[in-house]
Amino acid sequence: MIYWELFSTFFKLGLFGFGGGYAIVPLMEFEISAHGWLDMADFANIVSVSQMTPGPIAINAATYIGYHAAPFGFLGALCATFGVVLPSFILIIAIANIFNKFNQHPVFQSILKGIRPVTIGLIASAVWFFATISIITLKISTAAISRWSTFWWYSFFEKIHISPGALLIAIIIFVLIQKAKIHPILAVVMSAVFGILLI
Amino acid sequence: MLRQLWEIFIAFFKIGAFTFGGGYAMLPLIEKEVTDRGWVKKEDIVDVFAISQSVPGVIAVNSSVFIGYRIGGLPTAIAAVLGVVLPSFIVILGIATILVTVKDNLYVQKAFVGIRAGVTVMIALAAYKLGKSVLINKFAYILAIGALIFVLFFDIHPIVVIIVGAILGPVYYLFFAKSKVKNQGGKS
């Protein structure tokens, strides 16, 4: 039954598609073609639209695909979205309980001390990711569009183009956040406005 | 209790509504909404992100569940997830078809390039802020820079660097740090 298929497929995706951001896209591509839920043009559309809609791509895609794949669209969207969210729920609640129980244990603490700096490094990699889709553009060959990693060795030697408008926006937002202490939500809204004005 | 559930739902709804471009873009928003209200202490927010990243699942949902659960168990976890997921759900079901036609509009594209530029800065500032409390010794710096290099330049999957960090942490802090203390013990 389509509703079960949507739920279980997106449950799988929620479980295995991690590593942040677009790591899930190739996995989704595979499942979508395997089930014939969307054609590739539609899939490319939802991936790019997902950049413009609030929320993570996994949620956006689940909702969209669920809606279009099932006869009762709303129910399909519900099943898919619920499926993709459930692994997080189960695993995090399990981990949170372990966390509470073993928080004081030295081995647990030392593991955390190892994971925390790695997290900082990963967050820094997200900075690069966002920078390369706004301020800096690296010329990437079209063949690579289906891969979603952020950097290749060989693209380093391709032309690197810096968008002055985007750079200006980055500087403005930096000053606004640091000096005027504006709320992140306001920063997002202003970035959009400046985007229209300055890009 | 109901009051708190509603507060959490609204806070995460706001977070979900203004996150564009993926889970990491959520971090500055979560930090602001959650630590300012005292739901999670500033020192603990890094652990929340660290664990949310290390566990399978969408990082945005992971963080919401974690924070929600910490505040008040299962009910608040559900409120947080509902809040963070609902904006996507509504927008996609409501205007996705319009969006497909609108996404190629020049002004729409410009706005989103702007948003991405702003988000770049916001995440960078969040990373800097969190980094100050986390990168306290050379070992931490090496791990952070190593993770960054391996993920960006060598295309290593994040889970690999997380596992490496989880292994090296105990190795360093339980073996090397201890033997350092032993060696210095003789001096005093």
Side-chain angles (χ1 to χ4, degrees):
Chain A
M1 223 230 312
I2 181 77
Y3 301 103
W4 172 253
E5 259 180 64
L6 284 168
F7 171 78
S8 56
T9 306
F10 277 95
F11 185 89
K12 240 195 316 179
L13 286 173
L15 197 55
F16 293 110
F18 67 113
Y22 293 93
I24 200 178
V25 173
L27 299 175
M28 275 199 288
E29 213 191 306
F30 175 77
E31 292 291 343
I32 290 168
S33 7
H35 285 97
W37 285 333
L38 230 56
D39 62 48
M40 282 303 111
D42 267 340
F43 180 65
N45 274 342
I46 186 57
V47 172
S48 58
V49 163
S50 182
Q51 291 233 15
M52 301 183 180
T53 49
I57 183 175
I59 306 284
N60 291 338
T63 307
Y64 188 83
I65 292 165
Y67 185 75
H68 286 268
F72 288 112
F74 187 78
L75 188 58
L78 223 51
C79 290
T81 307
F82 183 62
V84 90
V85 159
L86 203 56
S88 297
F89 227 91
I90 298 172
L91 289 168
I92 289 289
I93 291 183
I95 299 276
N97 283 315
I98 295 175
F99 189 78
N100 290 331
K101 222 171 166 190
F102 293 104
N103 200 12
Q104 300 310 317
H105 197 286
V107 173
F108 190 83
Q109 276 298 319
S110 64
I111 292 177
L112 276 184
K113 285 187 197 168
I115 294 183
R116 282 183 205 132
V118 167
T119 301
I120 300 293
L122 292 178
I123 295 176
S125 76
V127 174
W128 177 256
F129 170 71
F130 276 94
T132 53
I133 55 176
S134 57
I135 307 170
I136 310 169
T137 23
L138 309 175
K139 256 188 69 193
I140 309 178
S141 64
T142 43
I145 298 270
S146 60
R147 265 190 82 197
W148 293 90
S149 89
T150 56
F151 198 91
W152 283 280
W153 276 117
Y154 44 87
S155 61
F156 184 72
F157 299 108
E158 301 267 22
K159 250 205 294 195
I160 296 177
H161 171 257
I162 306 229
S163 157
L167 187 57
L168 186 55
I169 293 176
I171 294 172
I172 295 174
I173 295 294
F174 177 80
V175 170
L176 285 177
I177 294 181
Q178 286 293 91
K179 301 292 175 190
K181 308 257 188 272
I182 65 171
H183 194 285
I185 289 181
L186 185 58
V188 171
V189 172
M190 293 183 77
S191 305
V193 172
F194 284 129
I196 297 175
L197 296 174
L198 296 173
I199 300 281
Chain B
M1 183 59 163
L2 208 60
R3 176 85 217 222
Q4 193 188 47
L5 284 181
W6 179 251
E7 261 181 53
I8 290 170
F9 173 77
I10 290 294
F12 278 91
F13 188 88
K14 275 160 56 179
I15 291 171
F18 287 93
T19 298
F20 295 96
Y24 285 101
M26 200 171 273
L27 298 189
L29 294 163
I30 290 182
E31 227 223 310
K32 181 78 184 179
E33 291 284 318
V34 163
T35 55
D36 273 12
R37 284 168 216 247
W39 286 341
V40 176
K41 289 183 285 214
K42 281 199 196 272
E43 315 86 75
D44 294 341
I45 200 76
V46 184
D47 288 342
V48 170
F49 291 147
I51 291 179
S52 302
Q53 272 210 337
S54 315
V55 170
V58 179
I59 184 179
V61 180
N62 287 349
S63 332
S64 315
V65 174
F66 204 157
I67 294 168
Y69 192 69
R70 272 173 79 112
I71 300 174
L74 197 57
T76 42
I78 294 176
V81 172
L82 272 181
V84 99
V85 162
L86 221 51
S88 302
F89 201 78
I90 294 171
V91 167
I92 291 286
L93 290 186
I95 72 177
T97 23
I98 305 174
L99 275 177
V100 173
T101 40
V102 133
K103 73 175 169 62
D104 294 318
N105 174 284
L106 187 62
Y107 291 107
V108 171
Q109 298 214 329
K110 287 185 183 189
F112 282 99
V113 174
I115 289 179
R116 284 178 227 141
V119 168
T120 305
V121 167
M122 288 164 62
I123 301 180
L125 287 172
Y128 178 73
K129 211 162 150 195
L130 297 173
K132 275 199 298 193
S133 62
V134 165
L135 302 179
I136 47 177
N137 57 33
K138 285 205 196 108
F139 176 71
Y141 268 105
I142 292 173
L143 276 186
I145 295 174
L148 180 62
I149 292 178
F150 278 98
V151 165
L152 280 189
F153 289 93
F154 299 108
D155 228 4
I156 303 288
H157 196 286
I159 189 58
V160 174
V161 294
I162 290 172
I163 291 176
V164 168
I167 293 173
L168 290 182
V171 165
Y172 179 79
Y173 286 102
L174 298 183
F175 291 109
F176 286 104
K178 271 214 179 125
S179 52
K180 258 203 215 163
V181 170
K182 259 200 228 158
N183 288 333
Q184 289 167 357
K187 289 188 186 167
S188 52

